[in-house]
Amino acid sequence: MFVACQCYGHTNECVYDEEVAANMTSIDIHGNYEGGGVCQNCRHNTMGINCEQCKPGFYHPYGVPLNATDACRRGSS
């Protein structure tokens, strides 16, 4: 059974990766580290297997949901 990738709304593109599945490093839509979905072309200054990390120079403020379009904000210089 195919389960959609958990990309927190930062992309609709996803590919299956057997190594990610074997290492259980992808979060599914239920919050479990299962499956092998890898999000592609993350937007909103996000990156990572599930678009769950901020790109360098950006940070994720406490209390802001990961699925917010402004989840990753530019760091102060």
Side-chain angles (χ1 to χ4, degrees):
M1 181 177 95
F2 177 76
V3 177
C5 283
Q6 172 60 281
C7 299
Y8 298 101
H10 300 297
T11 187
N12 294 324
E13 299 176 48
C14 175
V15 297
Y16 178 79
D17 184 304
E18 288 184 26
E19 186 175 340
V20 169
N23 293 327
M24 297 177 25
T25 54
S26 180
I27 302 168
D28 68 14
I29 59 172
H30 306 292
N32 302 311
Y33 282 92
E34 296 179 355
V38 178
C39 302
Q40 303 291 298
N41 300 312
C42 298
R43 298 182 309 261
H44 312 127
N45 302 306
T46 62
M47 63 183 214
I49 291 173
N50 298 105
C51 299
E52 80 287 8
Q53 300 170 12
C54 295
K55 288 182 177 179
F58 292 83
Y59 72 101
H60 179 221
Y62 177 80
V64 175
L66 281 174
N67 63 351
T69 56
D70 66 344
C72 291
R73 300 178 186 175
R74 187 172 300 281
S76 57
S77 302

